[in-house]
Amino acid sequence: MQGSKAAVAEETGIITIADVRGRIEAAMPVLVEESVACDDLGKLTPKTHEILRDSGIIRIFQPRRYGGLEGDPVEFARLIMDLAANAPSAGWVGGVVGLHSFEFAQTDPRLQEEVWGKDVDTWTASPYAMLGQARRVEGGWQLTGRWPFSSGTDYCEWAVVGGLAETEAGSGAFTEPHHFIMPRSSYVIHEDSWDTMGLRGTGSKDIEAKDVFVPDYRAINVQKLNNRDYHRANQPHSALYEVPFDYLFPGVISASTIGIAEGVVRRYQEYAEGRVNRGGIKSIDNPFQMAALGSALADIAASRLHLLDGLKQAYDIALSGGTVPNAMQHEARRNQVRAVRRAAEAAHKVFANVGGNVARISSPIQRFYRDMSVAMCHACNVDEPVYAAQAAYMFGKPVPRGVIV
């Protein structure tokens, strides 16, 4: 579909999530093989990018008029978990870049046409941290900032970044959280900014913009986004976008992380089948190692269900024409971070039973474990502030600033 117009996408028919899954599963052996090369390259390989692009995974949340599916967030999360369990960086980038369509679909129609009018497979990056400052100018904003963790950025033609907007022109008070959307020509990528112990293949480099003009229609007030104001103004006939952004985005991060944790456990399962320790005992005959594996598999399964159930509850409400209540969003975020923590602890438990050979760079177990460790550092996976915020909400107390709920 690269380079195709939206009209062509409509004429050729809309794919389904089942089609996307079939393409990903068919290409999985290649994605697994390429995952090591992604780490070595420090970004997705061209082949990995091609597979993800051609699968349609990035268009699952895209509007139908631009070749998208407006698809089920539960099935998207399930697909991301399965992908990340086999090719962590591909799963991570597929989840993050794929989620951007959910936000862009709610924006001003002019922006949607700019992004997807010529190419429905356009990729977008998103360092969302509120590290930019935007001065109010005529017709828009003057934006300056540098943002780390721009996953998949080498293949992206647009970026959506976080920043604090000036409340009034000339006031010098930057207090309003916004997302600002820029074309590739408006920012630079710092090529030497991504050298990490894990998730190396995501290529999550820094990007920077200096005094870039962003017109009003490319700026998104975060509060209005979460209140679904943009959805109701620009996509009122699609129930999908009634799901709150801060419900879905952290859920996708959770899905990627749980998937990578599952990858640790599955790689250990494969390794244990033929492992013999220095005492001559097979791992499959070691009751302690098998107990660690069995409990880990149970915890991974529970984490998957916990996450998917929360997404299903919200999506069912949206499909029925309802509004997701704040109490549900708080509970969902609590459950998301708890599910991720449970999965990571399960992966750590089996990792502790692998033995010295896990230290070898050739071991896929250590590579998945490093990827999981870095994924756990994402702001959406920080758990204790979310637990405290949900408990505070139950008792009518204010939620601390900065907690992602």
Side-chain angles (χ1 to χ4, degrees), residues 33 40 49 54 59 93 107 135 148 162 183 194 249 280 293 311 313 329 336 344 357 374 384:
E33 184 177 354
D40 293 341
H49 167 249
D54 292 347
R59 289 192 274 127
V93 174
T107 60
R135 293 185 296 106
W194 187 244
F249 178 73
L293 176 59
L311 292 172
Q313 288 184 46
Q329 182 159 343
Q336 287 171 1
N357 278 331
V374 172
E384 290 190 346

Side-chain angles (χ1 to χ4, degrees), residues 138-161:
E138 184 177 355
W141 308 88
Q142 204 76 21
L143 176 67
T144 295
R146 177 166 173 163
W147 299 266
F149 307 117
S150 183
S151 296
T153 199
D154 290 284
Y155 297 102
C156 296
E157 295 300 323
W158 291 79
V160 50
V161 300

